[in-house]
Amino acid sequence: MPTPSSAPAAPDLDPAALRAEAEEVLRRLVGDPAARLREDQWTAIEALVAHRRRALVVQRTGWGKSAVYFVATALLRARGAGPTVIVSPLLALMRNQIAAAERAGVRAVTVNSTNAEEWGQVFDEVRAGAVDVLLVSPERLNNPGFRDEVLPPLAATTGLLVVDEAHCVSDWGHDFRPDYRRIRTLLADLPDGIPVLATTATANARVTADVAEQLSVTGTRTLEDVLVLRGSLDRSSLRLGVVRLPSHAHRLAWLVQHLPGLPGSGIVYVLTVSAAADVAAHLRAHGIEAVPYTGQTDPGERLQAEDDLVNDRIKVLVATSALGMGFDKPDLGFVVHLGAPSSPIAYYQQVGRAGRGIDDAQVVLLPGAEDRDIWRYFASLGFPEEQDVRRALDALAEAGEPLSTPALEARVALRRNRLETMLKVLDVDGAVRRMRGGWLSTGREWAYDGERYARVAQAREVEQQAMLDYVATTGCRLEFLRRALDDPEAAPCGRCDGCGGFEVPREVDESAVSAAGADLDRPGVPLEPKKVWPAGVKALGVPVSGRIAPAEQPGTGRAVARTTDLGWGNAVRELFAPGATDGETPVPLRHAAAAVLDDWARELGLDGVVAMCSASRPRLVAHLAEGLARYTDLPLLATFRLLEDGPTRSDVNSAHRLAQVARRFELPEDAPVAGRRVLLVDDRTRSGWTLAVAARQLRRAGADAVHPFVLGDGD
């Protein structure tokens, strides 16, 4: 264990008295009168409070890293220090941390994309000294208003800076996030003597060194000035196993057959957003209470899903990596992966959600033949080639004024997410600057670091091979993961299927396989109804909140395909491609729509069709609705009226998206929908709020049921 700094402590900070005070705060935090600090916890707290050092703590999930910064905050605030600023990547993490802070008598507030209407009040309270901890999402660090108006005075008054999940700082890490690189600017702006703490559970030696080096970016600080505390990554409660099955249908059947027998409630991780929805729907169809959870799930629904899992109201969350850092359920009984993550380090982090507060948790990996294709796809979204970067820089320079991402997207052959990621990196590098209204060229010379990008890409390939080796190993699985994280204490666990301590079930019932295969071949994809209004939408002039009343919700709908799917997804993407003209429904999609209705709508007892209105594709929507009415021999009851035909944005949060559509259209007063079961037809859905608002209007007009139908689901 590294020794504490030799710098003299302040005269009033007697080490024994300070530790006693720290442990009293810890007892309030955890609610245990016998709680004691671990030695490395105390070492970190003493370094921060007594010596005002910079420290990096790399410890396993559940070790108590958050206790370090909450205890340190309480001690520093008692000595007149300013508020602690925690840069935290996920809303789930923020919510758990705020709850933990309250137990310790520490008042914590947050600033993130879901509570913009509260920012003014939050900053007033920070300035008034009424806040002990301010949690900030990394994306806020480069929001123009926050960066230019809030960040400088905040940096000047901060008492402690905490970088949680610090592996995100490093582009060598498995979960690098460009927004985290803005932290280097925040570090450089801190006054001398302000302590800094970075924490992570998933950093190998290379990432640890990179993060520690970035912590020492100011003045004459060197790497030796950063205290690094690394501990054992053993997880004594985990039992790890791998089951290799011949097809996706077999893996779905394994879940249906064996999830009910796994202890407690847990998580099934999948690799894509569409898989989360599909798998959750399949499990529900077979009597297993399952809810999807992805980065595209509405924040209010994510919060509800987390709460349902924590309180065992559901058996399983079917989640992408969006459910990861910071989610805390001590008695989580199992984690199953339907498809392997691309890195043993990422896998270790996700399985670390299980078994924090219980003695036995089961961890099962069901790898798929398509895993490598999915890894390859996500790898293709890495930093673009130099010619694409130069084209974007040239376009910004030629514009001479800020360009929005959509405006720049029309000039650069990069998809939206990849373009935005690239711009964030260029912003930190000083080549562009994010402004109100878009991105502006700074004119500064910029060098493409192709050598580093190539090394990072090669490191990713090495990690992918290591994950394949994990699947194939006959040795100890936990030892394998610990060695991947450079844990010097890695040793056989005695509890996994390789050590003989875990007999993971491998049999699959053939009837369940047949049922899964039939489910996979069924046309169309479900559209789940919105159940919770977005948080904060009242402040935007829409008078709704909380759960959507069941009597105002639509039923489950259908789309022909997701825009991210293969197969019919290709036809849908072509229909909605930029520059595509409005017109009649293409013949192949007419047949697909009919097939979906044949499979889905026969038992709904529909009484009529209602068409949505559209500013961009009125002919397509009208033709689709009329054609479906003829095909089903149902009357076309009404068409919504468009009240505002200006453009809307889809790249906004749920509250703003709902505010955009809430008053955009209306149902004609004389629409004969009372007492009817309605098929609501639109061309596509993105956020789902247009369909939710339209369904609410129909239900309030007396419709007995509303079932949405669209060609495409997604951007």
Side-chain angles (χ1 to χ4, degrees):
M1 180 179 70
T3 58
S5 168
S6 59
D12 65 330
L13 297 185
D14 173 68
L18 187 65
R19 181 162 188 167
E21 184 181 352
E23 292 189 332
E24 181 58 35
V25 176
L26 176 72
R27 293 179 187 116
R28 295 199 303 268
L29 180 69
V30 301
D32 180 358
R36 298 287 303 274
L37 288 167
R38 304 175 190 270
E39 285 306 311
D40 274 7
Q41 286 177 317
W42 165 242
T43 298
I45 291 168
E46 185 183 31
L48 297 169
V49 177
H51 308 298
R52 310 300 171 95
R53 292 196 64 185
R54 297 189 174 196
L56 170 60
V57 174
V58 183
Q59 298 282 358
R60 61 178 172 79
T61 300
W63 175 84
K65 297 182 288 296
S66 61
V68 172
Y69 48 76
F70 283 133
V71 171
T73 292
L75 299 182
L76 287 165
R77 290 288 280 166
R79 288 156 178 79
T84 291
V85 175
I86 302 177
V87 181
S88 181
L90 293 179
L91 300 182
L93 185 59
M94 291 183 180
R95 289 189 287 268
N96 289 333
Q97 288 174 328
I98 289 173
E102 291 174 352
R103 293 195 297 270
V106 174
R107 182 159 189 269
V109 295
T110 180
V111 170
N112 60 71
S113 60
T114 70
N115 70 340
E117 67 282 355
E118 301 173 7
W119 290 5
Q121 179 183 345
V122 168
F123 295 141
D124 287 344
E125 292 178 345
V126 171
R127 284 189 288 269
V131 170
D132 300 310
V133 173
L134 176 64
L135 293 109
V136 180
S137 63
E139 292 79 12
R140 291 304 97 202
L141 298 179
N142 202 31
N143 172 274
F146 187 88
R147 179 196 63 210
D148 298 335
E149 300 165 17
V150 178
L151 200 55
L154 188 62
T157 59
T158 295
L160 168 66
L161 174 65
V162 177
V163 182
D164 215 345
E165 306 299 345
H167 59 274
C168 296
V169 172
S170 173
D171 57 4
W172 295 106
H174 73 278
D175 196 21
F176 167 63
R177 303 187 182 196
D179 290 302
Y180 258 77
R181 294 187 53 178
R182 179 59 58 186
I183 292 171
R184 293 191 299 185
T185 303
L186 180 55
L187 287 167
D189 290 342
L190 288 176
D192 288 340
I194 301 301
V196 177
L197 172 67
T199 66
T200 180
T202 49
N204 58 16
R206 183 199 290 268
V207 173
T208 297
D210 190 19
V211 174
E213 185 176 356
Q214 294 193 49
L215 288 181
S216 57
V217 297
T218 61
T220 58
R221 294 182 183 274
T222 64
L223 185 58
E224 288 71 30
D225 185 66
V226 177
L227 173 68
V228 178
L229 296 166
R230 281 184 63 96
S232 169
L233 299 178
D234 188 22
R235 293 294 308 278
S236 60
S237 64
L238 299 185
R239 298 177 178 272
L240 281 74
V242 174
V243 179
R244 284 185 276 188
L245 296 168
S247 71
H248 188 53
H250 282 81
R251 291 185 292 156
L252 285 177
W254 189 98
L255 292 177
V256 168
Q257 187 172 344
H258 296 294
L259 277 184
L262 295 182
S265 55
I267 302 168
V268 170
Y269 277 109
V270 294
L271 299 184
T272 66
V273 170
S274 58
D278 291 344
V279 173
H282 183 78
L283 294 177
R284 287 196 303 274
H286 290 81
I288 299 172
E289 191 58 39
V291 174
Y293 186 109
T294 76
Q296 296 181 18
T297 304
D298 181 82
E301 294 181 7
R302 286 205 300 267
L303 178 59
Q304 186 63 53
E306 293 166 19
D307 188 68
D308 287 344
L309 181 63
V310 167
N311 292 287
D312 297 317
R313 290 189 288 268
I314 58 176
K315 178 66 176 181
V316 62
L317 277 187
V318 183
T320 63
S321 58
L323 183 72
M325 297 178 287
F327 178 76
D328 187 17
K329 176 176 168 60
D331 61 343
L332 194 78
F334 62 89
V335 170
V336 176
H337 278 77
L338 195 66
S342 61
S343 159
I345 302 173
Y347 185 62
Y348 174 86
Q349 182 192 70
Q350 291 177 354
V351 302
R353 307 270 70 78
R356 292 185 178 190
I358 55 178
D359 294 333
D360 187 2
Q362 297 184 19
V363 174
V364 180
L365 171 61
L366 306 174
E370 72 278 6
D371 292 351
R372 276 175 278 190
D373 291 335
I374 296 173
W375 300 345
R376 193 175 300 113
Y377 168 76
F378 285 116
S380 73
L381 303 180
F383 200 74
E385 297 294 327
E386 183 171 8
Q387 62 183 12
D388 291 324
V389 183
R390 296 292 179 194
R391 192 172 293 118
L393 289 172
D394 290 345
L396 289 172
E398 291 169 4
E401 61 182 7
L403 285 181
S404 67
T405 305
L408 186 58
E409 188 178 26
R411 310 181 191 200
V412 180
L414 293 173
R415 296 185 65 180
R416 175 75 58 85
N417 289 344
R418 196 177 186 198
L419 177 60
E420 289 182 336
T421 299
M422 180 196 74
L423 289 167
K424 290 174 181 178
V425 173
L426 293 175
D427 189 346
V428 176
D429 289 346
V432 305
R433 184 170 178 82
R434 187 178 178 188
M435 311 289 290
R436 286 188 175 90
W439 302 88
L440 183 69
S441 171
T442 65
R444 289 177 52 182
E445 186 175 348
W446 179 81
Y448 186 88
D449 194 351
E451 183 178 346
R452 180 175 179 85
Y453 302 141
R455 291 200 307 270
V456 171
Q458 184 178 17
R460 295 286 183 271
E461 292 178 3
V462 171
E463 290 174 348
Q464 292 174 13
Q465 183 57 51
M467 198 65 217
L468 297 174
D469 294 342
Y470 172 82
V471 170
T473 186
T474 57
C476 175
R477 298 199 185 276
L478 187 58
E479 180 184 17
F480 187 103
L481 296 178
R482 292 173 67 186
R483 291 194 184 283
L485 280 122
D486 298 314
D487 182 355
E489 301 177 26
C493 70
R495 303 179 300 274
C496 67
D497 62 350
C499 292
F502 180 31
E503 293 294 329
V504 57
R506 300 178 184 278
E507 68 278 3
V508 178
D509 184 81
E510 285 303 319
S511 64
V513 175
S514 297
D519 194 42
L520 291 171
D521 292 338
R522 189 170 293 119
V525 293
L527 296 175
E528 296 297 333
K530 295 290 188 183
K531 297 181 179 179
V532 181
W533 296 115
V537 74
K538 271 190 174 181
L540 300 175
V542 183
V544 294
S545 62
R547 289 181 177 270
I548 302 174
E552 297 182 352
Q553 292 180 20
T556 300
R558 284 293 187 275
V560 169
R562 301 185 186 91
T563 56
T564 55
D565 288 345
L566 299 176
W568 285 112
N570 294 322
V572 169
R573 283 193 298 274
E574 183 177 342
L575 180 64
F576 298 119
T581 58
D582 183 28
E584 295 184 350
T585 313
V587 172
L589 284 172
R590 298 179 202 179
H591 295 312
V596 172
L597 285 181
D598 286 344
D599 180 72
W600 164 62
R602 287 174 296 180
E603 307 300 325
L604 296 180
L606 295 171
D607 300 308
V609 176
V610 172
M612 279 304 302
C613 48
S614 174
S616 59
R617 292 183 176 82
R619 289 184 61 199
L620 174 63
V621 176
H623 183 263
L624 177 64
E626 292 164 0
L628 292 177
R630 287 195 302 272
Y631 182 75
T632 56
D633 199 25
L634 294 171
L636 181 61
L637 300 173
T639 298
F640 275 85
R641 283 198 293 257
L642 189 66
L643 303 179
E644 301 175 2
D645 61 0
T648 62
R649 293 180 57 189
S650 61
D651 58 340
V652 293
N653 63 41
S654 291
H656 283 82
R657 182 62 180 166
L658 175 57
Q660 287 182 148
V661 305
R663 290 176 289 271
R664 186 173 172 81
F665 52 82
E666 68 177 5
L667 183 70
E669 291 184 4
D670 58 351
V673 299
R676 309 229 183 175
R677 305 177 68 84
V678 171
L679 183 72
L680 175 62
V681 177
D682 203 354
D683 56 348
R684 66 170 163 176
T685 182
R686 289 168 167 165
S687 68
W689 288 116
T690 294
L691 296 177
V693 170
R696 184 174 187 246
Q697 291 188 25
L698 285 164
R699 296 299 303 274
R700 286 189 158 194
D704 283 350
V706 178
H707 293 280
F709 180 87
V710 297
L711 295 174
D713 177 15
D715 288 330

